[in-house]
Amino acid sequence: MRISQLSETTGVPIPTIKYYLREGLLPPGEQVSATRSVYGAAHVRRLRLIRALLEVGKLPISAIRAVIEAVEDETKGVHEMLGTAHYALSPKTEPEDTDEWAAARAMVDELIRERGWRVEPAAPGRDELAQTIVTLRRLGQEVTLPDLRPYAAAVGGLVRDHEMSRIPFDGPRETAVEAHVIGTVLYGRVLDVVRRLAEESESARLLADADGLAE
Amino acid sequence: MRISQLSETTGVPIPTIKYYLREGLLPPGEQVSATRSVYGAAHVRRLRLIRALLEVGKLPISAIRAVIEAVEDETKGVHEMLGTAHYALSPKTEPEDTDEWAAARAMVDELIRERGWRVEPAAPGRDELAQTIVTLRRLGQEVTLPDLRPYAAAVGGLVRDHEMSRIPFDGPRETAVEAHVIGTVLYGRVLDVVRRLAEESESARLLADADGLAE
DNA sequence: CCGGTTGGATAGCTAGCATATCCAGCGTGC
DNA sequence: GCACGCTGGATATGCTAGCTATCCAACCGG
């Protein structure tokens, strides 16, 4: 398959494919002569993955590159590889050096502890969650451990019973990370959209009738 | 309070505040003379809201403006106002005109129907979810109604029992939308981060020991 | 042997989000 | 009562991300 066909198959313009090649997101095709390379099914897959992470996941190119580098680093064990890819999916957050931040972070650690979760002490998600709590508080919303528990409970079961089962740990390592990344990003989106639908519905239930009568 | 103090209080630089004023995100202060305006607590609140939606929610300025306009449109009922604000939070998705898209969309409609959710037929979330399903399928992940149900179930209870209760429907209308928007965006983030923590934990459980022994 | 494609290099573009600069008019501290 | 610094308002400029366009020489296929 030549670059023009790769472009047609995936709908990604040729200049953009060249850009991804330059950026190292897409491995070069098999160079068959100075001005001709051949691309295969793996390239189509990879290109679709890139677009999904970009468009649905809104990940920056640099994060996508990090994910891809994790996949291609053969020296890593499967768990380490998943971890690297996973961390690349987290937005960077700088811890603030304030008391309110420390308090929020302590609450996060306590939540993880009481659920018995195995999460690295340095996991970026800890700081990210702490930061979100601080932001909520600054906006006047109190957040306590009991507020967080239902979220952890709801999501814990979901991940255990439905997300992990989709990952083919027995297949080639590349397939496993890919499925993991897809699961994290795309099902993250699913969860988010479904939640917004549920909110609309609850809001309608609580308010639409009242509005209709009151106005 | 003068603009310099507003800037110090919120940590937002003066030129940025001026920019938000120009963009209509922040109402002008009370003009006290040709070269002096006074800002109050409402401005501090608004500025924090803007920053939270921008930084945590990653909403574009235009979406934030739409939310704010919904708040300020006094002619709308509370439900309508929440709806407008809510829709502004959804990323725009163009429906594809393909069979696979139509099938995905039908599945979304069925999910909403079987849960008895009150969601507008034109709600952007329907298209958004359909698009995500199409993307998942193109990446080789089959998605069926039974795959989606657990997500709807997990999130339905969460929204009903924990999110809606945080909205003060009896207070001033501005407070209600604000709480609703904050809930949608910030607790959306909470859910996302918690899910990623749960994934890390499950992955560790399933793989870390195996890796340790195998390598 | 020639029109069209390719790889590779470099330059340019657009959107989004600010920053910077400039200016004249205040107004407060002295 | 006056100088210095802040203010509002207008305009210009900057910066990053993610492309997109142009150019060129090598090449292939008919």
Side-chain angles (χ1 to χ4, degrees):
Chain A
M1 187 188 285
R2 288 173 295 174
I3 201 174
S4 52
Q5 294 171 274
L6 184 58
S7 167
E8 273 167 42
T9 310
T10 58
V12 179
I14 294 180
T16 305
I17 295 178
K18 287 184 171 187
Y19 169 68
Y20 293 158
L21 286 166
R22 281 200 301 283
E23 293 294 315
L25 301 188
L26 196 61
E30 193 197 339
Q31 188 126 11
V32 108
S33 88
T35 64
R36 205 127 308 197
S37 295
V38 177
Y39 305 88
H43 292 91
V44 175
R45 260 178 92 75
R46 171 62 62 81
L47 217 32
R48 283 209 243 266
L49 177 65
I50 293 169
R51 299 302 280 195
L53 296 184
L54 255 183
E55 288 166 11
V56 181
K58 289 172 199 334
L59 295 190
I61 298 285
S62 59
I64 298 177
R65 185 169 34 227
V67 168
I68 285 169
E69 277 165 7
V71 178
E72 288 173 351
D73 181 351
E74 302 282 341
T75 70
K76 284 181 179 158
V78 179
H79 176 61
E80 206 182 342
M81 177 178 71
L82 290 186
T84 308
H86 202 185
Y87 283 4
L89 303 177
S90 308
K92 287 268 169 305
T93 329
E94 283 304 296
E96 290 177 22
D97 190 17
T98 61
D99 287 350
E100 51 184 345
W101 197 90
R105 171 63 202 248
M107 200 164 85
V108 171
D109 291 341
E110 170 57 16
L111 178 73
I112 290 170
R113 200 202 53 74
E114 76 175 27
R115 289 209 72 83
W117 280 351
R118 279 215 208 170
V119 174
E120 293 291 322
R126 291 182 188 249
D127 285 351
E128 218 184 317
L129 185 50
Q131 187 58 59
T132 308
I133 292 166
V134 168
T135 304
L136 274 164
R137 287 185 171 156
R138 294 213 176 115
L139 287 166
Q141 303 252 347
E142 192 37 44
V143 182
T144 61
L145 198 48
D147 289 323
L148 296 181
R149 282 194 193 108
Y151 286 83
V155 117
L158 212 49
V159 168
R160 181 165 21 82
D161 303 335
H162 300 282
E163 301 215 343
M164 295 318 276
S165 59
R166 272 193 293 266
I167 301 181
F169 290 113
D170 45 350
R173 47 181 281 138
E174 168 150 353
T175 316
V177 213
E178 214 182 279
H180 188 242
V181 168
I182 291 171
T184 297
V185 173
L186 282 266
Y187 276 95
R189 182 68 173 281
V190 168
L191 191 61
D192 188 54
V193 182
V194 170
R195 194 180 56 97
R196 273 186 280 121
L197 290 171
E199 282 183 358
E200 176 177 339
S201 170
E202 276 309 309
S203 163
R205 246 187 253 294
L206 288 172
L207 284 173
D209 301 335
D211 267 27
L213 296 173
E215 285 167 41
Chain B
M1 189 188 283
R2 289 174 293 174
I3 202 175
S4 52
Q5 294 171 273
L6 183 58
S7 167
E8 273 167 41
T9 311
T10 58
V12 179
I14 293 180
T16 304
I17 295 178
K18 286 185 172 186
Y19 169 67
Y20 293 157
L21 286 166
R22 281 201 301 283
E23 293 295 315
L25 302 187
L26 196 61
E30 194 198 339
Q31 188 128 10
V32 106
S33 88
T35 64
R36 205 128 311 195
S37 296
V38 176
Y39 305 88
H43 291 90
V44 175
R45 259 178 93 76
R46 174 61 63 83
L47 217 32
R48 284 208 243 262
L49 177 65
I50 294 170
R51 298 301 280 195
L53 296 184
L54 256 182
E55 289 165 11
V56 181
K58 288 169 199 335
L59 294 191
I61 297 285
S62 60
I64 298 177
R65 184 168 35 229
V67 169
I68 283 169
E69 276 164 8
V71 178
E72 288 173 352
D73 181 352
E74 302 281 341
T75 70
K76 284 181 178 157
V78 179
H79 176 61
E80 208 181 341
M81 178 178 69
L82 289 186
T84 308
H86 202 184
Y87 284 5
L89 303 178
S90 308
K92 287 267 168 303
T93 330
E94 283 305 295
E96 290 177 24
D97 191 16
T98 61
D99 287 350
E100 50 184 346
W101 197 90
R105 172 62 202 247
M107 200 164 85
V108 170
D109 291 341
E110 170 57 15
L111 178 73
I112 290 170
R113 199 202 53 71
E114 76 175 27
R115 290 208 71 84
W117 280 351
R118 282 214 206 171
V119 175
E120 293 291 323
R126 291 182 188 249
D127 284 351
E128 217 184 319
L129 185 50
Q131 187 58 58
T132 307
I133 292 166
V134 169
T135 304
L136 273 164
R137 286 183 171 158
R138 294 210 177 118
L139 286 167
Q141 303 252 346
E142 191 38 45
V143 182
T144 61
L145 197 48
D147 289 324
L148 296 181
R149 283 196 193 106
Y151 287 83
V155 117
L158 212 50
V159 168
R160 181 166 21 82
D161 303 335
H162 300 282
E163 300 215 344
M164 296 318 276
S165 59
R166 273 194 291 267
I167 301 180
F169 290 113
D170 45 350
R173 46 182 282 137
E174 168 149 354
T175 315
V177 215
E178 214 182 280
H180 188 243
V181 169
I182 291 171
T184 297
V185 174
L186 282 268
Y187 276 94
R189 182 69 173 282
V190 167
L191 192 62
D192 189 54
V193 181
V194 169
R195 194 180 56 96
R196 272 185 282 119
L197 290 172
E199 282 184 358
E200 177 177 338
S201 170
E202 275 309 309
S203 164
R205 247 186 252 294
L206 289 173
L207 285 173
D209 301 335
D211 266 29
L213 297 172
E215 286 168 39

